[in-house]
Amino acid sequence: MKSLLSLQSLLVQLLVLLTCQQLAQATPVPLAVSATSLKQLWKTTGNQNPTVFIHGLLGWGESRKLLGTLNYWGGITQNLLDVLRNQGYTVVAPNVGPLSSCWERACETFAQLTGTVTDYGVDRSTRFQHTRFGENHSGKGLLPSFAANFASSSSPVVKINLVGHSLGGPTARTLAHLLAFGSQQEMDACAKAGVVCSPLFWTNKTQSYVTGVFAISGVHQGSVVDDYLQATNGRVQFIKTLFTALVGANNLNNLDIWDLQLGHYGLNQNSGEKFTTYLDRVCSSSWFLSSTNALFDLSVENQGNSLLSFVKNAPGVTYFSIAGVSTNYLLGISLAQISTNLFLAPFANLIGTYSNSSLTVLDTYTLRDWRQNDGLVMVASSRGPKSGFNAFSLDMQAGGEGDLVYSAPTSAPVKGTYNYVGEWDHGDHLDIIGLFDLIPGLRTKVFVNIMRVLSSLAA
């Protein structure tokens, strides 16, 4: 009897010990419970920088609304940028080329922020045989205070933060690179031609003018969807289908809703020209098959090309990234979740089962990292560029700053590398920006938390 009681006592003690261990693992004790803000946690005074939102492939800026009502950032039910403004943040969203290269989109963003003529560069325009200058934004600068940085050395420095979705991710990285390092090739070409170079290309900058960058499902290492479409000659049909479905109604009626910004290639839409006719002309042009457009930049195979690989992280900039995930991974493949957008589901399944022996970079990551995706972009690509990332878990769907602080690492994010905050589960590529949300407010928490993170960085 005594032996039985002893055995029962031992089992009870063991059960209590295991329960305590499980509770300890399930309920981590915060290391900095006294911190009530990220600024306090990371020991900074924060910043009040204006934040620039850069749209992705086939996207549009705030000055234009698809079909007159659809916001890129928030969809038909809300303008997420207005939500942020109502919370005291200064935000702008330029309208850059929806099919253009990251270089061109960076130049277009800079021109719209500073209210200047878009300057694509002397060297660049010579190499790709297009005119140097694009659209003129004089007198219409989105951020005059930022523009003052390049007009007078005596003006107080005004920095910006950048948020990019999809192709907007590498566009933001390219812009941050140019604002930090400039371009020696462009400076040399300007000197040789005896012309003044755009301030964007100046190589004697003493600071980057960018504090933080936040990439939402950024395509930092390309997407195998692009490589698949190239191999199967499906790029033209893909672009035509998307454009006709999304924006054809606007341009068929010449409502000036859409602007491909390809005038420097002589590819403007003519007055009275139907959008479908214009698109045929664009897709059959030499530009469409060139190495200076978004489709080139989105290819996994092209990431090692010098046109893309020259971009570096700026050491004084703090980068963040979040990956959308709308697939389930099992037994080496990923398949679309039932909630995945119907248009994206086939691409999610394509990525989740894709193999290509010629893309050796795929072998440098786990199968899960390359097959889990948001319908267009793989997790491995969204985390950051080939140079790597720093795991920096944050609950971006936290309901308040206290919960966000509770989830945050106590050490400040690392500068000069991508701080990967984790996966946004059940978030496909379009869900993440609320493009087709029927209920307003579903994405508000994430975007407010993005602003909390960026504004908590040291100025």
Side-chain angles (χ1 to χ4, degrees), residues 1-15:
M1 189 70 170
K2 248 183 201 181
S3 298
L4 183 59
L5 287 172
S6 298
L7 181 59
Q8 286 178 329
S9 176
L10 182 62
L11 288 172
V12 169
Q13 291 178 43
L14 184 59
L15 182 60

Side-chain angles (χ1 to χ4, degrees), residues 144-445:
S145 59
F146 177 70
N149 290 323
F150 312 100
S152 171
S153 58
S154 61
S155 299
V157 174
V158 175
K159 292 189 177 185
I160 56 175
N161 296 320
L162 303 173
V163 176
H165 169 246
S166 189
L167 186 63
T171 300
R173 184 171 180 248
T174 303
L175 179 58
H177 169 99
L178 290 172
L179 285 171
F181 305 111
S183 169
Q184 191 60 56
Q185 284 178 298
E186 290 300 336
M187 293 295 287
D188 291 345
C190 286
K192 184 176 180 180
V195 297
V196 177
C197 232
S198 165
L200 182 61
F201 306 133
W202 292 349
T203 55
N204 62 346
K205 300 185 184 82
T206 56
Q207 35 200 321
S208 70
Y209 300 104
V210 177
T211 297
V213 173
F214 205 114
I216 307 169
S217 284
V219 201
H220 296 108
Q221 297 187 57
S223 169
V224 295
V225 170
D226 188 52
D227 295 87
Y228 171 79
L229 291 173
Q230 182 179 19
T232 57
N233 295 316
R235 280 175 164 179
V236 170
Q237 191 56 48
F238 175 75
I239 293 299
K240 284 186 176 182
T241 300
L242 276 182
F243 261 122
T244 301
L246 287 175
V247 302
N250 294 285
N251 283 271
L252 283 170
N253 297 311
N254 295 307
L255 297 180
D256 192 32
I257 300 298
W258 203 263
D259 182 4
L260 298 191
Q261 298 192 46
L262 295 176
H264 52 301
Y265 292 100
L267 290 170
N268 285 315
Q269 184 176 3
N270 298 322
S271 177
E273 183 179 25
K274 289 186 176 181
F275 179 73
T276 48
T277 304
Y278 173 49
L279 196 57
D280 282 339
R281 199 155 50 81
V282 169
C283 290
S284 60
S285 69
S286 58
W287 168 84
F288 192 80
L289 298 175
S290 74
S291 53
T292 179
N293 58 43
L295 297 177
F296 180 88
D297 288 9
L298 288 170
S299 166
V300 173
E301 184 178 13
N302 292 336
Q303 296 308 301
N305 189 291
S306 60
L307 287 171
L308 303 177
S309 62
F310 79 92
V311 180
K312 301 181 294 184
N313 296 339
V317 177
T318 307
Y319 299 82
F320 296 92
S321 59
I322 187 170
V325 174
S326 61
T327 52
N328 293 319
Y329 182 76
L330 182 66
L331 301 177
I333 64 172
S334 292
L335 297 177
Q337 297 167 349
I338 194 169
S339 59
T340 304
N341 180 282
L342 290 177
F343 172 78
L344 295 178
F347 295 111
N349 294 332
L350 167 67
I351 299 171
T353 57
Y354 187 81
S355 294
N356 187 337
S357 58
S358 67
L359 295 179
T360 55
V361 68
L362 300 180
D363 299 327
T364 64
Y365 295 94
T366 68
L367 207 56
R368 182 191 183 281
D369 289 343
W370 273 109
R371 289 191 165 170
Q372 282 290 77
N373 67 87
D374 67 356
L376 283 178
V377 187
M378 306 80 70
V379 166
S381 186
S382 288
R383 290 185 308 202
K386 183 67 176 170
S387 56
F389 66 95
N390 171 53
F392 195 82
S393 181
L394 281 170
D395 180 9
M396 297 305 295
Q397 299 190 66
E401 185 157 17
D403 293 333
L404 182 62
V405 170
Y406 186 88
S407 73
T410 54
S411 57
V414 179
K415 288 185 178 184
T417 192
Y418 275 79
N419 295 273
Y420 175 54
V421 303
E423 297 177 358
W424 185 340
D425 195 23
H426 299 287
D428 69 39
H429 201 69
L430 302 179
D431 275 344
I432 282 178
I433 54 173
L435 194 58
F436 296 119
D437 285 352
L438 298 178
I439 302 172
L442 295 179
R443 316 298 158 189
T444 299
K445 290 179 182 177

Side-chain angles (χ1 to χ4, degrees), residues 48-70:
Q48 295 183 326
N49 297 354
T51 300
V52 182
F53 283 73
I54 305 175
H55 64 75
L57 179 76
L58 307 183
W60 57 97
E62 193 177 19
S63 64
R64 301 168 185 269
K65 291 184 180 181
L66 193 61
L67 302 175
T69 58
L70 192 63

